[in-house]
Amino acid sequence: MGRTREAGCVAAGVVIGAGACYCVYRLTWGRDENEKIWDDDDEDDEEESSDIVETRIENGKGAKANAGMGSEARLQGNSKVKAEVGMVLESGSVVKAEVHLGPQNGGGLEAKAKALFSTLKEQASAKAGRGARLGTISGNRTLAPSLPCPGGRGGGCHPTRSGARAGSRASGKTKGRTRGKSTRTPATAWPVRRGKFNFPYKIDDILGAPDLQKVLNILERSNDPFIQEIALVTLGNNAAYSFNQNAIRELGGLPIIAKLIKTKDLIIREKAYNALNNLSVNAENQGKIKTYISQVCDDTVICRVDSAVQMAGLRLLTNMTVTNHYQHLLSYSFPDFFALLFLGNYFTKIQIMKLIINFTENPAMTRELVSCKVPSELISLFNKEWDREILLNILTLFENINDNIKSEGLASSKKEFSRSSLFFLFKESGVCIKKIKALANHNDLVVKVKVLKVLTKL
């Protein structure tokens, strides 16, 4: 039994030595391979454990073949072996290795194990002396020096694991792959139209007179388009409230806003139009804005068709012509309005018709309106393919003009108007009347009622 017992002890020593070598290898190998990063997840830990178990089983099987089943049973019953290897990097290069062996039978085996671990300790110390990596093996999260601190778009710093292994779960890489050090440039803030000045208010804040004065001062002094845009939007939102419409006028804000309709920046011009549009709801403000109405009209007509600037200008002109006081200032642009009515898209057509309807409700503007030249294609707006809003607006326009022609006695003066005039298209050609009669069978009941009302006035 002595020889069997000795073989069992040798087998145990082999298992302990193999396990210790594997642990030291796993803990120190990554420090020489600076370009490799190991996956750090639970599945890898399970694989490592299974690899150790498989190694021990294979070595154990070799020992069983030489020593027999009896020696293995005796080893398990009489000896308990525990091997713990801990390595902690302190001060960048100091490595401590502690090995605790439980009580064993046989002093020779203990001496051999101590000699083996002394050799391994010296090798590990030599390797660790070449240089330590940033961080510790314990896996504490630190900020990588190449990554930005909070403030970039997306928020937060980008933590990285600073030990010998970095987690693939955070990087999004598939299991089992190794990758080199990241060559991506550091994340930067999202590029925006931003100035150095931080605007003190939100664009939807409802401000009092002192704050409105501050916004007007900022708008007047700033040349930064970003600041100008925010200030104009803030003023436009506040101008939607009647108490602020008066306040902005009393603070001298109308000339400051109107000055920006001359800018070449289309965004700034659009926001200026929107702010003036909200302010023009107030009758006293209209008296101030009338100074700029001709320039707004000219810019609106010549700018790109269907653009946001054109729509903002048309809305402002529509508000300014709700009353009869300033309509005469735009009479020279009637041909341009009818051209836009034909060329514009659906929304431009709607806005232009609202503007022209304002003129048709003022009998004093009838002669100038019906004498202007219009494209003959305008008659296509009476086709039943158009939706309800288009048809109702064009029928209203025709109805108002027809009523004004009768009230102003212009029917007897038809020789004054050319064949390309609105008068000839609506009254003399007869094509318009035929189109309206065809709409009497329209599927929309509201359109049908409107058509019948127009036909009864002919």
Side-chain angles (χ1 to χ4, degrees):
M1 293 300 293
R3 197 172 283 184
T4 301
R5 183 174 183 179
E6 184 177 359
C9 292
V10 171
V14 171
V15 172
I16 295 171
C21 289
Y22 187 80
C23 292
V24 173
Y25 171 79
R26 292 292 290 175
L27 291 170
T28 60
W29 177 81
R31 303 185 182 282
D32 294 333
E33 300 295 325
N34 290 332
E35 298 299 325
K36 294 183 179 181
I37 301 177
W38 288 73
D39 294 325
D40 184 24
D41 55 8
D42 296 339
E43 296 179 3
D44 265 354
D45 293 338
E46 293 175 2
E47 290 177 0
E48 292 172 16
S49 301
S50 64
D51 290 343
I52 297 174
V53 173
E54 290 173 5
T55 304
R56 292 182 178 178
I57 291 176
E58 290 174 3
N59 292 330
K61 287 180 179 180
K64 289 177 186 178
N66 295 328
M69 296 297 293
S71 62
E72 181 182 0
R74 186 181 296 269
L75 175 64
Q76 292 179 357
N78 297 333
S79 66
K80 297 180 179 179
V81 182
K82 298 181 180 179
E84 298 178 1
V85 178
M87 293 188 65
V88 180
L89 295 179
E90 298 179 3
S91 302
S93 61
V94 180
V95 180
K96 295 182 179 180
E98 296 181 7
V99 180
H100 303 285
L101 296 177
Q104 303 181 26
N105 294 327
L109 178 60
E110 183 177 358
K112 291 179 182 180
K114 289 182 178 180
L116 175 63
F117 283 110
S118 297
T119 303
L120 294 175
K121 178 180 178 181
E122 292 174 1
Q123 295 177 357
S125 299
K127 289 183 178 181
R130 298 177 188 175
R133 295 171 66 91
L134 177 67
T136 61
I137 300 175
S138 61
N140 294 331
R141 290 186 179 270
T142 58
L143 290 178
S146 62
L147 293 174
C149 281
R153 192 174 187 268
C157 296
H158 297 263
T160 180
R161 190 173 290 275
S162 58
R165 297 175 293 170
S168 64
R169 187 174 296 173
S171 65
K173 297 293 181 181
T174 57
K175 176 185 171 183
R177 291 185 182 178
T178 59
R179 59 180 178 87
K181 287 184 177 179
S182 175
T183 58
R184 282 185 284 179
T185 56
T188 57
W190 186 261
V192 293
R193 185 177 177 181
R194 188 180 301 279
K196 296 181 180 179
F197 178 75
N198 291 325
F199 199 74
Y201 307 105
K202 295 181 179 179
I203 59 175
D204 54 352
D205 286 345
I206 302 175
L207 307 179
D211 294 322
L212 289 173
Q213 183 66 69
K214 292 180 182 178
V215 175
L216 289 170
N217 291 339
I218 293 171
L219 180 61
E220 187 175 19
R221 297 173 184 175
S222 177
N223 293 322
D224 185 350
F226 180 75
I227 299 300
Q228 291 176 340
E229 180 181 350
I230 296 178
L232 286 171
V233 173
T234 303
L235 291 171
N237 289 340
N238 278 270
Y241 301 95
S242 57
F243 54 88
N244 277 336
Q245 293 168 3
N246 293 322
I248 293 173
R249 182 188 69 254
E250 293 168 358
L251 293 171
L254 290 174
I256 296 174
I257 297 172
K259 181 180 67 175
L260 294 175
I261 67 177
K262 301 178 182 179
T263 182
K264 294 181 180 180
D265 192 318
L266 298 181
I267 296 177
I268 301 302
R269 197 189 306 172
E270 177 199 352
K271 305 308 179 187
Y273 285 162
N274 289 337
L276 291 175
N277 179 44
N278 286 346
L279 289 167
S280 66
V281 176
N282 184 290
E284 295 184 42
N285 288 344
Q286 284 191 0
K288 302 287 186 180
I289 297 174
K290 71 176 182 180
T291 308
Y292 316 101
I293 192 172
S294 296
Q295 182 180 350
V296 173
C297 182
D298 294 341
D299 292 342
T300 301
V301 169
I302 66 176
C303 71
R304 185 170 60 86
V305 178
D306 303 330
S307 63
V309 179
Q310 187 174 76
M311 288 298 296
L314 289 174
R315 286 193 293 267
L316 174 57
L317 295 176
T318 303
N319 268 357
M320 288 294 295
T321 55
V322 169
T323 62
N324 301 338
H325 302 303
Y326 313 110
Q327 290 181 355
H328 64 281
L329 299 175
L330 302 177
S331 60
Y332 69 95
S333 296
F334 286 160
D336 298 319
F337 293 153
F338 281 105
L340 282 178
L341 181 57
F342 170 68
L343 296 173
N345 62 15
Y346 175 84
F347 301 102
T348 302
K349 282 180 169 60
I350 294 294
Q351 196 62 51
I352 283 286
M353 281 192 282
K354 290 180 179 178
L355 174 60
I356 296 176
I357 287 172
N358 285 347
F359 291 108
T360 62
E361 291 176 349
N362 181 8
M365 300 299 297
T366 303
R367 181 177 292 274
E368 294 180 69
L369 190 63
V370 298
S371 63
C372 71
K373 294 182 180 181
V374 296
S376 59
E377 294 83 0
L378 192 64
I379 202 71
S380 63
L381 293 176
F382 291 92
N383 291 340
K384 62 180 180 181
E385 287 77 13
W386 291 104
D387 70 349
R388 174 193 291 184
E389 190 167 8
I390 291 283
L391 291 175
L392 290 179
N393 277 289
I394 194 64
L395 288 170
T396 301
L397 192 153
F398 177 86
E399 180 185 10
N400 291 347
I401 289 178
N402 184 63
D403 292 343
N404 291 339
I405 288 175
K406 290 180 179 180
S407 63
E408 295 295 316
L410 297 178
S412 60
S413 306
K414 58 183 179 181
K415 293 182 180 180
E416 299 178 13
F417 307 107
S418 66
R419 295 180 63 87
S420 59
S421 66
L422 181 64
F423 179 89
F424 185 84
L425 182 67
F426 276 11
K427 294 293 292 184
E428 296 300 315
S429 67
V431 178
C432 188
I433 304 298
K434 292 179 181 179
K435 289 281 188 179
I436 295 175
K437 289 181 178 179
L439 291 175
N441 297 323
H442 198 275
N443 295 330
D444 193 307
L445 181 61
V446 178
V447 174
K448 187 182 296 186
V449 171
K450 184 69 174 180
V451 169
L452 295 176
K453 179 181 177 182
V454 172
L455 292 176
T456 56
K457 294 183 178 181
L458 294 177

